[in-house]
Every structure is written in C-alpha cells, then in structure tokens.
Amino acid sequence: MDVRPFWLAGRPATGDAELTVTNSHDGRVVGVCSVPTPGQVEEAVAAADAVRKEAAALPIHVRAEALAHVSRRLAERADEIAHLIMEENGKPLFWARGEVNRAISTFRFAAEETRRLSGEALRLDTEPAAAGRLAYVSRVPHGPILAITPFNFPLNLVAHKVAPAVAVGAPVIVKPAPATPISALVLGEILAETDLPAGMFSVLPVPNDRAAALVADPRLPVVSFTGSGPVGYAIMDQVPRKHVTLELGGNAAAVVLADADLDWAASRVALFSNYQAGQSCIAVQRVIVEESVREDFLAKLVPAVEALVTGDPADEKTQVGPLVSVEAAERVEQWVNEAVAAGARVLTGGARDGATVTPTVLADVPADAKVSCEEVFGPVMIVQTVSGPDEAFAAVNASKYGLQAGVFTRNLDLAFRANRELEVGGVIIGDVPSYRADQMPYGGVKDSGVGREGIRSAIADYTYEKVMVLTGLSL
C-alpha cells in the first residue's frame, strides 16, 4: 500500500515513521500515512512564522480565490472523499456525503466572507476636542494558528479551522486526529493547488503525545482545539497567554413539551441521537419530556429508534455505523451496564458487536450515572420526565455542559423564554440540538468551551482590532 505524504509548508514530504489507519467496522487497513520527524515539524513551524507578514498582506482576491478553489475541488472529488471518510472513520456513506457537502459550503462561505472583509471608518469629531480626526478600524491576524482537530468530522471540522485562517491571512498548522488523518491530508493536497505562498499551511499527522510541544511553541500564538474537555482545558492552562479557542463536549438535551409535534420530535430525536454513531458533541443524549405526553412520545420514539438501519458503513442504506474503535464501543457498553446496575431500564438496544453499539434508549436513569451527567459519545439516549417547562429548563441547565439544546414547542413565548433561560451556546426551536448551519456562530458555555466557530465568528477569533487615527482632516 502506498504511503501518503504529509504536507510541510505547502509541499508533500515523508518522515521516518508511518501511521496505519484502519476501518473500525472490519479492521481493514485503509491507508498508511507518513509521520513527520521533530526536525520536519520545526521546519513547518519556522516556515509559518517566516511567512506571517506576507500572509497577512495577501490581497483579498488571492485569499478568496484560494478558498473558492478548494470549494470547487471538493465538489469535483465529493464521491471519492466521502468514501475516504467512510473508510477511515467508519461513518456511513449517507453521513459522509453530508460532511463533504458541508465542507464545500464552509469553504464557499469563507470565500464570500473574505470578499466582504473591510476596515471601518469612524468619525471622531462628535466631540470638539476630536475635530478633524477620523479612525480607521481594521482586523489583523494574531499570527500563525495551530489547529488541533478531532476524529468525528475529519474533513469539515478541519475546514472550520483552515478556511477562516486563510480568510484572515494567517498561516495554519493542522494536527489531525491520529485515527482519521487521511481527510486532512487530502485537503492539504487541494490547498497545494492554490496560489497561497509556501509556508501558509502544513498538515502534520503527529501522535497526540507530540502535540504539547506545538501548543507551547511561541511562534504559534493561536491554538484552536476541538475535542475533549480535559485535554482542551489542559491546553488553556499550559499556555495562558495565548489566544485559545476550545470547542469541547456536551450531553445535549432535547426538550419535548406538551404542544410539540410528537411524530416529528420522535423521528428527529431517534435519528440524531444515533447519527455518526452518537459521536457528535451535539448528538441528542438527554431527552426531557413533559409528563402529559410521555407515553405517547415513547410509543413513537422507541419504534423509530428500532427502525434505524445499523450495519456496514459502506452500505448505502446504513444509518448507524460503528464507533471509531472497539475500545470506544466497549466504554459505551460499560456505561450502559453501569446505569442498568444502578436502576435504569433499557427500552431498546444496549447490545455491542465489535465496534458497533445498538441504538439504545434508557429510562429511570440516576442523575449521577455517567450516561446522564457525562458525554457518552455513542448511540445512547436517556429519557427523563418533567412536570412542565419550568422543570424542563432547569433539567437542561443541570449539567456542567452548555453547547446546544433543542426545544420542541410551537409556542413562541416559550421559544423566547428558552432562549433567555437556557445556559447553552445555541437554542434550536422545533428541532434537535444537533442542528448546525456552517455559517452560524457555534460554540458553548460552561465546560463546553470558549470562543465560537462559524466563519465570521472564527475570523473575529483569529484577529484583533487595530485602530489608525488620522488627524487634521477636513471632514
């Protein structure tokens, strides 16, 4: 099997070690990637530092056209890349194609936002002492960005870091998840087709135990991390003077109130508790149902979950595939068993076969069970009954996480109340918390992180405002 090179300062390179990528469904080897040496990592960081001024001065049209090119090429290679995602991640083709389409949009949105980047003129002569003065406010990149990306969206979550970096003129070094580096390497291949300067990007599939040196390097003033809370906050503690953005975990809640469309709510909750095999930080984990509709809702939810097609991710009909590894599936199985031992009831599912866990619905789960208060990151949901909106919203907030929440209601007053009271970064009315549009601000509060993704929001995170004051003007 050919060894895939990594991308060092915009060119392909090979190191002295290899990383083997396997398919979690059947254990097949799907790719072998070259791993950079410490010397090559140093070369990549030095190149990013050396090109930072040139990158920041790149004309808008160069940045925008590079981003548009990536969007077009992803579209041209969509089927090929979807199969790569399926092979390395275990994600069913249905969801892999969706991820590619989202990445196409992410780069297109970034190209559009880049063309809208402009300074702001601000007259200061609103007071006599500032007569003849005009401020010009622009945004300037902090500098090169270290992007540390997770396995669950190996293309689009890389796109959400790379695209805004190119938009603002900041070099970017990507450290993809060791389980799923191939998609990021393909993205590097497409970036290499553009007119971006050498050093503008590197994709370095180094092991996780070598990431700390990159995090600490003073030539990378921005660290953008997506992953687990303990690792994210350890990064922030390691480099308190850097600009760190963290998109961390969650145990997202879907609230089903008495006026909800129960058929719609059940179908959406069933699918989006189990999409990506539950390996999404906004997958439905907690279902909070108003007592008056509980039995009717469960009568629709459980059959909808049981109707999901679980199996080979290469099968076009599969909706729920394997987790990223057997070890991940064993952990989910253990958490379910712990909850059952503590008194939880299994309404459906709960079985494991290799890396695949059957979509699972639990009831009567103790509040301190891991499946309730931690992030399962697997195809498991718990159902909790509440008396009404007051108790429902309190239950959503009774979590250390605060990424997104979904509220199924047709009452506009309750919708605005939910938006006001829920301690989360996003409130999705009439749908699951799993909804995300790639152009919208996305991020959380509490242990779900700091900062926001979404192109415009990330552009703001990667830059700072700089003011130039012109004096003695006739305004």
Side-chain angles (χ1 to χ4, degrees):
M1 182 173 289
D2 292 338
V3 177
R4 284 183 178 268
F6 54 87
W7 292 92
L8 195 167
R11 70 180 191 277
T14 55
D16 59 4
E18 295 176 354
L19 172 65
T20 299
V21 181
T22 58
N23 181 288
S24 63
H25 176 67
D26 55 19
R28 287 180 299 107
V29 173
V30 298
V32 179
C33 306
S34 185
V35 176
T37 66
Q40 289 170 317
V41 172
E42 164 59 28
E43 185 180 347
V45 176
D49 183 55
V51 81
R52 60 187 300 169
K53 291 184 179 179
E54 180 185 352
L58 281 174
I60 290 290
H61 71 88
V62 174
R63 299 181 229 166
E65 180 49 39
L67 293 163
H69 173 84
V70 175
S71 180
R72 290 192 298 268
R73 291 289 285 139
L74 288 173
E76 292 167 1
R77 299 177 61 178
D79 189 64
E80 168 204 350
I81 296 172
H83 277 81
L84 285 175
I85 292 172
M86 179 271 293
E87 292 282 4
E88 71 169 343
N89 176 272
K91 181 177 299 190
L93 273 173
F94 173 81
W95 298 111
R97 289 196 174 98
E99 180 173 351
V100 176
N101 288 334
R102 289 181 60 189
I104 292 166
S105 296
T106 298
F107 277 97
R108 187 180 73 250
F109 295 148
E112 294 166 355
E113 286 295 336
T114 303
R115 294 191 187 277
R116 287 193 283 266
L117 288 175
S118 183
E120 178 187 6
L122 181 65
R123 287 184 64 151
L124 303 179
D125 61 342
T126 54
E127 298 292 334
R133 294 183 186 269
L134 180 78
Y136 174 73
V137 184
S138 57
R139 299 204 71 92
V140 179
H142 290 289
I145 295 161
L146 172 61
I148 303 176
T149 60
F151 71 81
N152 56 331
F153 289 87
L155 177 67
N156 196 41
L157 290 186
V158 178
H160 269 284
K161 299 183 188 301
V162 171
V166 174
V168 303
V172 59
I173 290 178
V174 177
K175 194 213 92 60
T180 57
I182 297 175
S183 300
L185 293 172
V186 171
L187 184 58
E189 179 184 326
I190 294 173
L191 284 164
E193 299 170 355
T194 70
D195 293 329
L196 294 172
M200 188 72 180
F201 74 93
S202 293
V203 182
L204 307 178
V206 297
N208 288 338
D209 60 7
R210 290 173 57 188
L214 282 166
V215 169
D217 198 302
R219 294 167 294 180
L220 301 172
V222 178
V223 180
S224 179
F225 172 85
T226 300
S228 73
V231 175
Y233 285 115
I235 288 172
M236 181 172 281
D237 292 342
Q238 181 186 350
V239 286
R241 296 187 180 183
K242 286 195 176 191
H243 187 83
V244 178
T245 66
L246 302 176
E247 201 281 276
L248 306 177
N251 56 2
V255 175
V256 182
L257 296 178
D259 70 320
D261 179 335
L262 298 184
D263 289 310
W264 167 253
S267 66
R268 297 293 284 178
V269 167
L271 182 61
F272 283 95
S273 177
N274 299 291
Y275 86 124
Q276 326 288 340
Q279 298 170 122
S280 167
C281 47
I282 47 176
V284 178
Q285 182 172 329
R286 297 181 294 148
V287 188
I288 299 167
V289 187
E290 196 163 354
E291 186 172 15
S292 63
V293 295
R294 170 192 163 90
E295 295 308 316
D296 287 345
F297 177 72
L298 286 178
K300 299 174 185 295
L301 175 66
V302 172
V305 170
E306 292 174 341
L308 295 173
V309 179
T310 303
D312 185 348
D315 188 328
E316 296 281 357
K317 297 179 182 178
T318 297
Q319 296 167 293
V320 185
L323 279 78
V324 71
S325 67
V326 172
E327 293 75 17
E330 288 174 340
R331 178 193 56 77
V332 172
E333 179 186 38
Q334 179 184 357
W335 286 19
V336 170
N337 290 341
E338 287 176 0
V340 171
R345 292 186 298 119
V346 179
L347 302 185
T348 189
R352 180 183 65 85
D353 180 10
T356 299
V357 174
T358 306
T360 303
V361 182
L362 302 175
D364 304 329
V365 178
D368 60 351
K370 292 188 182 76
V371 294
S372 176
C373 61
E374 299 294 339
E375 181 177 40
V376 174
F377 227 60
V380 178
M381 74 176 91
I382 69 168
V383 179
Q384 176 181 355
T385 306
V386 294
S387 59
D390 290 353
E391 191 178 350
F393 295 166
V396 173
N397 291 339
S399 171
K400 64 183 178 181
Y401 298 109
L403 193 47
Q404 292 197 158
V407 180
F408 288 90
T409 182
R410 289 176 278 196
N411 184 313
L412 193 58
D413 287 338
L414 281 175
F416 276 92
R417 180 184 167 192
N419 185 60
R420 185 171 63 251
E421 295 183 7
L422 296 182
E423 298 166 356
V424 293
V427 178
I428 313 301
I429 302 299
D431 207 348
V432 289
S434 322
Y435 177 80
R436 178 183 180 182
D438 291 289
Q439 70 270 41
M440 78 183 197
Y442 175 78
V445 296
K446 300 194 282 189
D447 279 5
S448 288
V450 294
R452 291 293 181 269
E453 290 192 341
I455 299 302
R456 185 181 300 180
S457 299
I459 284 173
D461 251 333
Y462 291 172
T463 57
Y464 62 91
E465 286 187 318
K466 188 173 186 178
V467 180
M468 176 179 68
V469 177
L470 301 174
T471 305
L473 302 179
S474 297
L475 298 172

